Amino acid sequence: MSRLVVVSNRVADPRKTAAGGLAVALGQALERSGGLWFGWSGHITEGGTPGEGELHLQQAGAVQLATVDLSREDHDSYYLNYSNGVLWPVLHNRLDLADFDAGGFAGYQRVNRLFAQRLKALLRPDDIVWVHDYHLMPLAAELRAMGCEQRMGFFLHVPLPPPQLLAALPESDRLMRSLFAYDLVGFQSRNDVAHFSRYVGVEVGADVLGEHEFRAHGKTLRAQAFPIGIDVEEFQALTEGKEAREMHEQLKREYARRRLLVGVERLDYSKGLPQRLKAFRTLLQNYPENKGSATLIQIASPSRESVDAYAALRSELESLSGAINGEHGELDWMPVRYIHRNVARKRLPGLYRAAAVALVTPLRDGMNLVAKEYVAAQDPADPGVLVLSRFAGAAEQLHEALLVNPHDTGRTAETIQRALQMPLAERQQRHAALLDRIRTQDVHWWREAFLAALRETRKESA
Ligand code: GDG
């Protein structure tokens, strides 16, 4: 059995439960093959030389963790300026927020080369390399240039925008060409694959050999959708755990006479938080029977606070939730509970289960795991209703959710009202269908489907 090597910007110790479902699922595959997980250590060397960084090796059970430090200059250009200041907004259709002049691309390339150099020294000839996310698109091209011939796959966790929009990124051709150094590129949705196919067909001049096969620069690449899932069993076990049950009981007690709605995400402009608060305000205005009852608990956990766009969003949300509470609140009822803090993972399922409705309404999202976690945490006998943005990758799979366009405030409010009033039998039916799908296509299915495709690809393209 070949050894699996996972590469991602951050590395998690898969033995720690706080690591989350993805880290645990990758950790299991790594453990089976005595694998290696490679990435940034999280440490920044002040005054360090760009393009250099110390390598740390650590054993976590059967898995080896290999991490590299970054100099301040590399960190700021690769991570802050280019990955989060340019790629994240462009890939989420937000050209207006991309700082193309920050000059981070050179640092992005330098760190990808540094990673490739450090990783090459650790690779064995028959390793299978699985690279994750937008921070590391050119990694395989760097490794190939150094003579590495291992099988390599890449998975993009975020969306790929339509070709015209992607073409606005000055480095888009170089990045999309560099993907041809991989044997397999995985996307979250069929929509992303369609965008990729059109982009490389038109802009890169690739031959589109089939739905999933592309040829350019003498190299055949397979590109396919592998919608990521959650570990349903693990999440349901968490739901039965002490912390989640306590949270659930406490909320049920506190909100016995009210209807709870919940939103949980990192505070990020892709998640559609201001639009959601506006839809909730419209719900209170247009359906006044919800006054004194409907309460939205919105968790917006801190994220990327040193990027300017995030600070602006934070103050917008504070002022919007303040305005709604000021306008509609009563002495004994506040419509919005906005919480800018991280909630412990063990308590999260209790919050999901107490909520009659989940509002998962991103403007754009690769997949969105919160939608799936909400479904997994419900009581099948009395489940809540998922209101989901049609612009989340998850909408391709979760047809039984109530789909909305988050830009359409009036209709979103109308749909939330429908969710609040949905009869039990319909809630049960929809929930059963949703749960069935997220169980069949869980995170283990995702991992195995990707790895099986990666093992096959080489045979086809050799
Ligand atoms: C990227 C893509 C894609 C959130 N707040 C708290 C907390 N969370 C947890 C959730 C969930 C995870 O973080 C968020 O996952 P999402 O998928 O919703 O979104 P991103 O973070 O943007 O992830 C996304 C994903 O990668 C996987 O490929 O689906 O499209 O953008 O697990 O529960 N967890 C805790 N406290 C919080 O306050 N403990």
Side-chain angles (χ1 to χ4, degrees), residues 22 88 92 133 155 157-159 188 228 235 264-266 270-271 299-301 304 341-346 348 352 365-371 373:
L22 172 61
W88 177 272
H92 288 87
D133 232 359
F155 185 78
H157 288 257
V158 298
Q188 297 276 26
I228 197 169
F235 208 79
V264 176
E265 37 262 302
R266 289 182 301 102
S270 65
K271 304 292 183 183
I299 311 291
S301 48
R304 303 174 193 169
R341 271 197 314 277
N342 197 61
V343 173
R345 189 172 151 74
K346 287 183 173 171
L348 212 49
Y352 288 143
D365 219 325
M367 175 54 57
N368 195 296
L369 297 180
V370 169
E373 291 170 356

Side-chain angles (χ1 to χ4, degrees), residues 43-49 52-54 69-73 75:
H43 182 74
I44 302 169
T45 317
E46 296 298 342
T49 311
E52 287 181 18
E54 198 184 329
D69 298 341
L70 291 180
S71 70
R72 165 63 64 193
E73 194 177 327
H75 168 267

Side-chain angles (χ1 to χ4, degrees), residues 45-352:
T45 317
E46 296 298 342
T49 311
E52 287 181 18
E54 198 184 329
L55 177 75
H56 307 272
L57 293 173
Q58 187 195 335
Q59 203 61 37
V63 182
Q64 191 175 33
L65 306 179
T67 55
V68 183
D69 298 341
L70 291 180
S71 70
R72 165 63 64 193
E73 194 177 327
D74 278 351
H75 168 267
D76 288 0
S77 54
Y78 148 81
Y79 184 71
L80 295 182
N81 294 343
Y82 201 72
S83 296
N84 289 334
V86 175
L87 287 178
W88 177 272
V90 171
L91 296 172
H92 288 87
N93 300 358
R94 291 299 302 269
L95 292 179
D96 58 316
L97 293 178
D99 187 358
F100 294 119
D101 298 325
F105 188 63
Y108 179 77
Q109 279 183 304
R110 200 165 52 233
V111 170
N112 272 273
R113 194 162 307 136
L114 167 67
F115 274 22
Q117 276 160 358
R118 295 285 186 272
L119 179 60
K120 180 179 187 280
L122 302 171
L123 285 183
R124 300 173 190 159
D126 65 344
D127 280 346
I128 290 187
V129 183
W130 187 1
V131 180
H132 289 259
D133 232 359
Y134 58 100
H135 314 86
L136 300 171
M137 279 193 241
L139 189 72
E142 295 291 347
L143 285 166
R144 299 280 186 228
M146 294 171 191
C148 298
E149 291 179 353
Q150 286 82 354
R151 218 174 282 154
M152 295 183 203
F154 175 77
F155 185 78
L156 187 68
H157 288 257
V158 298
L160 195 76
Q164 286 263 322
L165 216 151
L166 185 57
L169 173 70
E171 298 82 20
S172 57
D173 271 7
R174 286 170 78 171
L175 290 175
M176 290 300 113
R177 273 174 211 276
S178 75
L179 290 182
F180 279 82
Y182 292 98
D183 300 291
L184 172 68
V185 171
F187 293 100
Q188 297 276 26
S189 69
R190 292 188 302 277
N191 197 30
D192 299 323
V193 178
H195 289 162
F196 178 75
S197 170
R198 276 168 39 215
Y199 187 93
V200 297
V202 174
E203 307 280 343
V204 177
D207 293 324
V208 181
L209 305 178
E211 202 187 341
H212 300 132
E213 294 254 316
F214 305 87
R215 193 162 177 82
H217 322 296
K219 182 86 184 61
T220 303
L221 166 70
R222 181 164 165 183
Q224 203 178 323
F226 299 92
I228 197 169
I230 61 164
D231 187 333
V232 177
E233 309 236 311
E234 181 249 7
F235 208 79
Q236 290 188 331
L238 219 55
T239 309
E240 300 303 327
K242 183 169 163 284
E243 287 87 346
R245 276 192 287 119
E246 275 173 9
M247 173 100 259
H248 179 240
E249 278 155 24
Q250 183 195 332
L251 289 170
K252 279 289 180 201
R253 246 193 336 267
E254 211 173 309
Y255 290 93
R257 293 180 300 111
R258 318 226 194 263
R259 307 296 305 282
L260 265 190
L261 298 95
V262 71
V264 176
E265 37 262 302
R266 289 182 301 102
L267 190 145
D268 192 288
Y269 48 80
S270 65
K271 304 292 183 183
L273 291 164
Q275 289 79 358
R276 181 181 311 165
L277 287 177
K278 286 174 192 163
F280 184 65
R281 179 170 63 190
T282 305
L283 173 88
L284 299 176
Q285 280 157 357
N286 293 1
Y287 306 94
E289 63 269 34
N290 291 306
K291 287 192 184 189
S293 168
T295 307
L296 170 62
I297 298 187
Q298 177 61 58
I299 311 291
S301 48
S303 175
R304 303 174 193 169
E305 300 211 297
S306 51
V307 180
D308 289 348
Y310 290 74
L313 176 64
R314 183 178 169 185
S315 49
E316 185 183 1
L317 291 174
E318 281 165 3
S319 101
L320 254 175
S321 46
I324 299 172
N325 283 340
E327 218 172 297
H328 297 283
E330 304 283 350
L331 282 175
D332 63 346
W333 169 69
M334 280 296 153
V336 180
R337 280 180 65 182
Y338 166 75
I339 298 161
H340 181 57
R341 271 197 314 277
N342 197 61
V343 173
R345 189 172 151 74
K346 287 183 173 171
R347 301 176 76 194
L348 212 49
L351 173 59
Y352 288 143

